[in-house]
Amino acid sequence: MGRGGGHVLVMRILTGLQPSGKPHVGNYFGAMKPAVELQAEGEGFYFIADYHAMTSGRDAAALRENVRELAIDFLACGLNPDRSVFFRQSAVPEVNELAWILSTVCPMPLLNKCHSYKDKVSQGISPNHALFAYPVLMAADILLYDSNKVPVGKDQKQHLEVTRSLATKLNETYGEGTVVMPEAIIREETELVIGLDGRKMSKSYDNALPLFGDEKKLRKLVMKIVTDSTPVEDPKPTENSAVIALYKLFASESDLAKMIADHQSGGIGYGDFKKRLADAYWDHFTPMRARRDELAADLGYVDEVLQKGADRARDEAAKTLSRIRKAVGLI
Ligand code: ADP
Ligand code: TRP
């Protein structure tokens, strides 16, 4: 796959995750797992979006803590630092310069129509400038590293469209090849993981199933999944069932078929189905949990990975930025 400058290079895959709380099953299937799997197809650039997290939180100690925790989580999920560049966004402050350059070609209506901004404001997050400009910084994250593919969940689709639109504008204004056109990778089967209440799973809806944590608490959460009041002996609906939708993520085809058949036949209660789901979920993350414990006991290693990643990312950013600075006339 070609990148800026006409060189034929390996495909670059990039994604970012905000350190705004414990990652959940939606983050895992929507972004982390695809990112981990795509490592086999190209070079991953994966980062912790700490600048972005500042748009919705103002606790310095919590930010520091969340960055480290997310680094451990992502590594435990299979991010391989020998194959991928793993870093924190703010280790490459150059991204802000590119965000500024992109702002100069960004029409206000493009940002005005972003749902994510409106959703966050309606949830009570203060409507500050950074929150409004969030998609421009995200576009800069992507374009700074000449990314080809960006694995994300469906909720980020519009931000990828903004990114592509800004890339087009920059290339039209300053010449083809100024930046590389990225493409969103959104897997249909996991584009929108349902939460415990049947809505989109999200940290902000208090309906999330975290990837890691205390077993008792996590099993209790599964038991909280909202179901209807069909009596035990009656057949139960299989459409719009959060239990089935989540079980599908973890179960084998035959176990899933059994779960559906047992819903249809009646005679088994929701408590039983939820227990099956809790077991499948718990087993799924067992190897990652073990890896997480090892990493948490070796923070020096985690810091070193992020440091090395930052060095690599900065080198890459310097090259792209110098190309873009030349194209726009800053040098
Ligand atoms: P949250 O909505 O919980 O705050 P983030 O916005 O931090 O999650 O999302 C991080 C990544 O996880 C993004 O790529 C996003 O699209 C993906 N993601 C988040 N929630 C889901 C979900 N319920 N289903 C699928 N992907 C999701
Ligand atoms: N906005 C993304 C989210 O909330 C995080 C993010 C920041 C990102 N920069 C990115 C994702 C660049 C993909 C590419 O999940």
Side-chain angles (χ1 to χ4, degrees):
M1 173 100 27
R3 278 221 290 279
H7 305 294
V8 176
L9 294 165
V10 289
M11 181 175 75
R12 178 153 301 156
I13 305 128
L14 172 138
T15 202
L17 288 179
Q18 284 193 71
S20 46
K22 290 184 194 322
H24 54 69
V25 167
N27 301 139
Y28 177 72
F29 286 99
M32 297 165 94
K33 185 167 184 257
V36 165
E37 288 173 1
L38 281 164
Q39 293 182 118
E41 288 179 34
E43 185 184 31
F45 266 56
Y46 300 138
F47 67 92
I48 300 176
D50 50 359
Y51 283 140
H52 275 116
M54 290 179 69
T55 59
S56 44
R58 303 229 162 93
D59 181 335
L63 180 60
R64 248 174 241 120
E65 171 76 10
N66 286 342
V67 166
R68 182 173 262 166
E69 290 295 310
L70 183 56
I72 300 172
D73 293 333
F74 213 160
L75 288 167
C77 288
L79 190 157
N80 176 355
D82 295 328
R83 281 203 67 91
S84 301
V85 179
F86 187 35
F87 58 104
R88 60 190 288 178
Q89 184 184 30
S90 62
V92 192
E94 290 87 340
V95 72
N96 292 299
E97 182 176 349
L98 182 53
W100 181 259
I101 294 171
L102 292 171
S103 287
T104 66
V105 296
C106 181
M108 290 298 280
L110 192 63
L111 297 182
N112 270 330
K113 67 180 186 203
C114 285
H115 322 295
S116 168
Y117 174 76
K118 291 181 218 162
D119 289 352
K120 285 177 181 164
V121 172
S122 72
Q123 282 163 30
I125 298 179
S126 85
N128 58 54
H129 173 253
L131 193 66
F132 187 67
Y134 183 114
V136 181
L137 180 60
M138 180 159 162
D141 288 326
I142 297 171
L143 301 176
L144 186 61
Y145 301 103
D146 282 347
S147 313
N148 304 113
K149 298 203 169 178
V150 185
V152 282
K154 191 180 172 188
D155 59 341
Q156 297 299 314
K157 193 171 172 207
Q158 192 180 35
H159 288 159
L160 262 296
E161 283 160 10
V162 170
T163 303
R164 286 171 62 87
S165 175
L166 295 179
T168 303
K169 286 231 177 270
L170 209 64
N171 285 342
E172 276 172 3
T173 313
Y174 294 108
E176 274 315 308
T178 302
V179 288
V180 170
M181 188 61 67
E183 186 196 336
I185 302 289
I186 301 175
R187 291 185 178 176
E188 215 178 298
E189 64 290 5
T190 50
E191 63 177 21
L192 208 157
V193 173
I194 295 302
L196 306 175
D197 58 0
R199 291 188 294 166
K200 174 203 155 192
M201 187 179 290
S202 172
K203 280 163 223 150
S204 18
Y205 296 159
D206 198 23
N207 67 353
L209 200 49
L211 299 188
F212 301 111
D214 172 70
E215 178 166 9
K216 249 197 185 156
K217 278 195 198 143
L218 294 176
R219 284 184 180 272
K220 231 179 172 172
L221 275 181
V222 174
M223 292 303 176
K224 268 179 42 185
I225 292 176
V226 179
T227 46
D228 63 20
S229 50
T230 314
V232 175
E233 55 285 3
D234 289 1
K236 308 196 171 48
T238 53
E239 292 293 311
N240 300 321
S241 151
V243 174
I244 293 181
L246 286 167
Y247 193 63
K248 217 181 206 163
L249 299 169
F250 306 109
S252 66
E253 261 179 50
S254 57
D255 286 347
L256 176 64
K258 181 158 182 353
M259 176 75 113
I260 292 174
D262 288 348
H263 269 72
Q264 288 162 340
S265 66
I268 302 177
Y270 282 118
D272 201 306
F273 295 140
K274 288 182 188 173
K275 175 155 187 328
R276 277 190 225 177
L277 167 61
D279 290 342
Y281 150 72
W282 189 254
D283 290 350
H284 187 88
F285 292 109
T286 296
M288 295 169 226
R289 213 173 295 120
R291 179 75 186 120
R292 194 186 194 288
D293 288 344
E294 285 171 17
L295 289 159
D298 193 358
L299 294 179
Y301 168 77
V302 176
D303 289 345
E304 192 189 316
V305 165
L306 288 178
Q307 187 54 54
K308 274 196 191 146
D311 294 344
R312 245 320 290 294
R314 257 192 123 156
D315 280 353
E316 230 12 74
K319 281 188 231 159
T320 330
L321 201 54
S322 141
R323 186 183 74 225
I324 298 170
R325 291 177 118 236
K326 268 187 209 137
V328 304
L330 286 171
I331 44 176

